[in-house]
């Protein structure tokens, strides 16, 4: 289930503070230098750097 548009507008990457975009079951950092992917579990974004997936 997609996140509410208003919520996605105020969320930012905890590591670099860039905006996030929703893709599948993750929130992806839009920064080219960072690019971390944060999981969304039970419709709740887990914005912890330790839980993020590093870019490939």
């Amino acid at each position: 289930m997609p996140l509410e548009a208003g919520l996605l507008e105020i969320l930012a990457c905890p590591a670099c503070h860039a905006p996030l975009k929703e893709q599948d079951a993750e929130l992806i950092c839009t920064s080219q230098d960072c690019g971390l992917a944060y999981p969304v579990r039970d419709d709740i974004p887990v914005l912890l750097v330790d839980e993020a997936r590093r870019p490939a």
Side-chain angles (χ1 to χ4, degrees), residues 1-50:
M1 184 161 123
L3 295 175
E4 292 181 26
L7 177 62
L8 194 54
E9 289 177 12
I10 63 171
L11 292 179
C13 175
C16 70
H17 308 291
L20 298 170
K21 66 178 179 180
E22 193 170 14
Q23 183 177 348
D24 300 324
E26 295 181 317
L27 293 178
I28 310 293
C29 177
T30 58
S31 170
Q32 294 295 329
D33 297 328
C34 181
L36 291 174
Y38 299 94
V40 178
R41 296 186 188 126
D42 298 323
D43 298 328
I44 300 170
V46 181
L47 298 178
L48 300 172
V49 175
D50 292 340

